[in-house]
Amino acid sequence: MRLARKDAWLIVVLLLPLFSMAVIPFYDTSEPRYAEIARVMARSGDWITPWFSPDLPFWGKPPLSFWAQALSMKAFGINEFAARFPSWLCWLLSNALLFAGARSLYGRRVALLAATVYSTGTLVYIGSGAVLTDPFLAFGTTLSLVSFAIAVKDRKPVFAGAGEPQEKFAGASGAPGSWWWRYGFFAGLAIGLLAKGPLAVVIGMAPVLVWHMCNHKTSALATALPWATGLALTAVLSLPWYILAELKTPGFLDYFIVGEHWLRFLDPGWSGDLYGTAHRQPYGMIWLYWLMASFPWGVLMLALLMGSLRSSRLRSALRATSSRPLSGYWLAGALFTPIFFTFAANILWTYLFPAMAGFSILVAIFLDRMDGLPGFSRRMQLTIAGIVPVALLGLSVIAWVSPDLYLRSTERGLVRYVMQQGEPVSSLHYYGKPPFSARFYSAGQAREMTQGKLRQATASCAPFYLAIPKDQQKAVAETLGRPLDPLYVNKRYVLVRISTGGADLRQGCLKGLP
């Protein structure tokens, strides 16, 4: 199979998420929560403090992703595609960085393989069309990872996995150690600081320290990059926002640094989360998440590693991979994140985003060495690469046809039903707190209705719509003193219209209920 055909395949893979981004609704909770924060930022013009609710600042994440999503909404409107588009751009840029780095170090074929592996892994492919902060972190850490590798590619000797000097770097394109890559490392740290926080610096520096220790050259690290001016660049790009955020909403730094970066991971039952609940998992769960995140390539590599116990050809390919320049560096980039979170109590699988870049380059080098071996053709590689994109395309079609029936919880259909009745969406109330997707699709106008408010509203206010949790229907019917007449039903809620004796009253009375 010629490289031109593989180019075309990769282009198709990179464009496929655009369909999913446009047709899949937001499902609670992460996507609509972040999208609503960005929507409020775009509407309010407050570019310093993201807001979780009108009276609660969002201290959980820095604002880079919200800035991008808010700007996208200003350009494309308040919709799913606009909120997801910045993550897709980060995906493209991360792929471009991997391609440029791998081509410079190992040649065009390895570069194409690296981009293919990165693009078609489960976590990265899903994240490419999702409203998350992690694609921005991954872009920053990938920029740092690749920049350092290219900046030191002309240095000899290099660590090649076994701690011994090996072959020179091959296929160099562009000036070795050019100023762009030398400062790109520090720009990546700044992006990570504004996307996720200080953790980005830890993740970005870990492979560099491994490279330094394995080279056994005290002076090598000091001269590899312009540390003084580079760190100054990182500070200039990132620190102003941290200072302004603390000045605007005092207490931010204490919550963000101590709570989000220490207690969240070390305290299994951390109760200080202001915005939800901690994601408590068994220790070591990150490795199961790694299998999910890296699928299908992680499973393939584990199978080949097991096969190498019996196959001399596989052992030869593994030795050849470990002998390539910077293989130990890429391995550190691939393994540091899961190792770091092995003993963390509160984790999500999205934490593995930064590990996928180094993993992809290692897999690409190995696949290149496997080229020509019986039973492992390029057609087979492309078939493996197609598993996740084809599966996600099928799910996207299902979501397009019937989003409420087959997939997880979303309030898009319910909110749209109310809007189609010709009444203001402010007439929509939820019995209990509105889900984040309801807040986003109603532009923040869906409101909470408690039992006490419901009694008062039925006695004094104009008719309104009430979304009732399915397990609360009996209690609401008893409060109203009459049976419910459902108008719309989704996976979680039953929508009814509450007619009252005060139909001539202004709808605003609902807002004034205690």
Side-chain angles (χ1 to χ4, degrees):
M1 183 176 297
R2 293 176 301 177
L3 288 179
R5 293 179 61 187
K6 197 152 191 174
D7 283 337
W9 156 253
L10 185 57
I11 291 172
V12 171
V13 168
L14 294 176
L15 293 177
L16 272 180
L18 295 175
F19 172 74
S20 303
M21 289 158 54
V23 302
I24 295 181
F26 288 143
Y27 296 100
D28 289 300
T29 56
S30 293
E31 269 205 297
R33 175 175 63 176
Y34 292 142
E36 174 64 3
I37 291 172
R39 185 195 67 81
V40 171
M41 179 176 284
R43 185 197 64 185
S44 67
D46 184 347
W47 300 94
I48 296 177
T49 302
W51 289 91
F52 187 76
S53 65
D55 57 348
L56 181 62
F58 185 67
W59 289 344
K61 298 291 186 296
L64 181 60
S65 62
F66 305 127
W67 288 343
Q69 292 150 9
L71 290 173
S72 182
M73 289 179 186
K74 282 184 171 291
F76 301 112
I78 308 297
N79 54 62
E80 297 96 341
F81 180 86
R84 290 164 172 159
F85 185 67
S87 292
W88 184 76
L89 288 181
C90 284
W91 185 50
L92 290 187
L93 292 172
S94 297
N95 271 288
L97 288 169
L98 282 177
F99 183 86
R103 183 178 62 178
S104 177
L105 293 167
Y106 308 113
R108 180 175 173 80
R109 172 166 165 75
V110 172
L112 283 170
L113 285 169
T116 299
V117 172
Y118 187 77
S119 299
T120 58
T122 302
L123 174 61
V124 174
Y125 190 81
I126 292 175
S128 69
V131 187
L132 297 170
T133 60
D134 302 275
F136 293 83
L137 171 64
F139 171 54
T141 55
T142 302
L143 176 56
S144 294
L145 189 76
V146 172
S147 294
F148 183 82
I150 296 180
V152 301
K153 70 181 179 181
D154 60 333
R155 293 179 175 272
K156 297 182 292 184
V158 295
F159 175 63
E164 298 296 332
Q166 297 290 342
E167 60 191 281
K168 295 180 181 180
F169 290 98
S173 59
S178 65
W179 71 270
W180 162 249
W181 296 111
R182 287 164 61 82
Y183 284 98
F185 176 83
F186 301 100
L189 295 183
I191 291 171
L193 283 167
L194 289 173
K196 204 79 170 181
L199 178 63
V201 177
V202 177
I203 293 173
M205 287 298 301
V208 174
L209 295 177
V210 170
W211 173 87
H212 171 61
M213 290 186 294
C214 294
N215 272 282
H216 304 293
K217 283 186 172 291
T218 304
S219 61
L221 185 59
T223 59
L225 294 174
W227 292 102
T229 54
L231 290 174
L233 174 66
T234 299
V236 167
L237 292 176
S238 59
L239 287 184
W241 175 78
Y242 281 85
I243 296 171
L244 291 173
E246 175 66 21
L247 292 174
K248 191 167 182 293
T249 54
F252 157 71
L253 288 177
D254 178 67
Y255 177 86
F256 184 64
I257 302 299
V258 178
E260 289 285 341
H261 284 79
W262 184 259
L263 296 177
R264 172 178 290 279
F265 302 119
L266 297 183
D267 183 356
W270 183 47
S271 59
D273 194 331
L274 297 175
Y275 313 106
T277 56
H279 307 280
R280 183 172 183 174
Q281 299 292 347
Y283 293 128
M285 185 67 180
I286 196 70
W287 292 100
L288 178 58
Y289 283 159
W290 182 87
L291 283 176
M292 297 165 53
S294 63
F295 181 84
W297 302 106
V299 173
L300 172 66
M301 291 304 295
L302 287 177
L304 293 175
L305 286 174
M306 295 295 294
S308 68
L309 299 176
R310 302 180 59 182
S311 170
S312 60
R313 289 183 174 181
L314 287 177
R315 288 196 298 272
S316 176
L318 286 172
R319 284 194 297 269
T321 300
S322 67
S323 69
R324 296 304 296 271
L326 290 172
S327 60
Y329 175 74
W330 303 123
L331 184 64
L335 294 183
F336 174 77
T337 302
I339 291 174
F340 182 81
F341 286 113
T342 295
F343 297 103
N346 301 306
I347 56 173
L348 296 169
W349 79 314
T350 54
Y351 291 178
L352 289 164
F353 248 102
M356 296 298 106
F359 171 76
S360 297
I361 290 184
L362 278 178
V363 173
I365 295 171
F366 182 77
L367 293 179
D368 182 52
R369 294 293 183 171
M370 291 283 291
D371 191 32
L373 292 182
F376 207 77
S377 65
R378 298 183 186 181
R379 184 181 298 275
M380 177 184 175
Q381 296 174 28
L382 291 181
T383 300
I384 294 172
I387 293 175
V388 172
V390 170
L392 266 293
L393 180 62
L395 289 175
S396 299
V397 172
I398 292 175
W400 185 26
V401 173
S402 185
D404 290 331
L405 181 60
Y406 294 105
L407 297 178
R408 295 191 300 122
S409 304
T410 178
E411 298 305 301
R412 185 176 70 175
L414 188 149
V415 173
R416 287 183 175 178
Y417 175 86
V418 173
M419 296 172 68
Q420 291 167 359
Q421 306 312 304
E423 298 186 33
V425 72
S426 59
S427 65
L428 173 61
H429 288 68
Y430 277 76
Y431 194 71
K433 289 187 178 296
F436 289 106
S437 59
R439 289 170 53 181
F440 176 82
Y441 287 114
S442 68
Q445 296 187 64
R447 301 181 181 277
E448 178 182 4
M449 179 67 73
T450 64
Q451 185 179 37
K453 286 184 179 181
L454 180 59
R455 295 179 185 276
Q456 187 174 349
T458 55
S460 61
C461 291
F464 59 93
Y465 289 95
L466 183 64
I468 307 167
K470 289 184 174 180
D471 60 353
Q472 297 291 317
Q473 294 180 76
K474 183 178 179 181
V476 172
E478 291 177 353
T479 300
L480 295 174
R482 57 180 181 268
L484 304 177
D485 184 15
L487 301 174
Y488 186 94
V489 179
N490 62 20
K491 291 193 67 174
R492 294 181 293 184
Y493 292 95
V494 172
L495 180 69
V496 299
R497 190 172 188 271
I498 306 297
S499 299
T500 71
D504 58 332
L505 298 178
R506 294 172 58 88
Q507 181 67 28
C509 70
L510 287 168
K511 301 180 182 180
L513 293 176

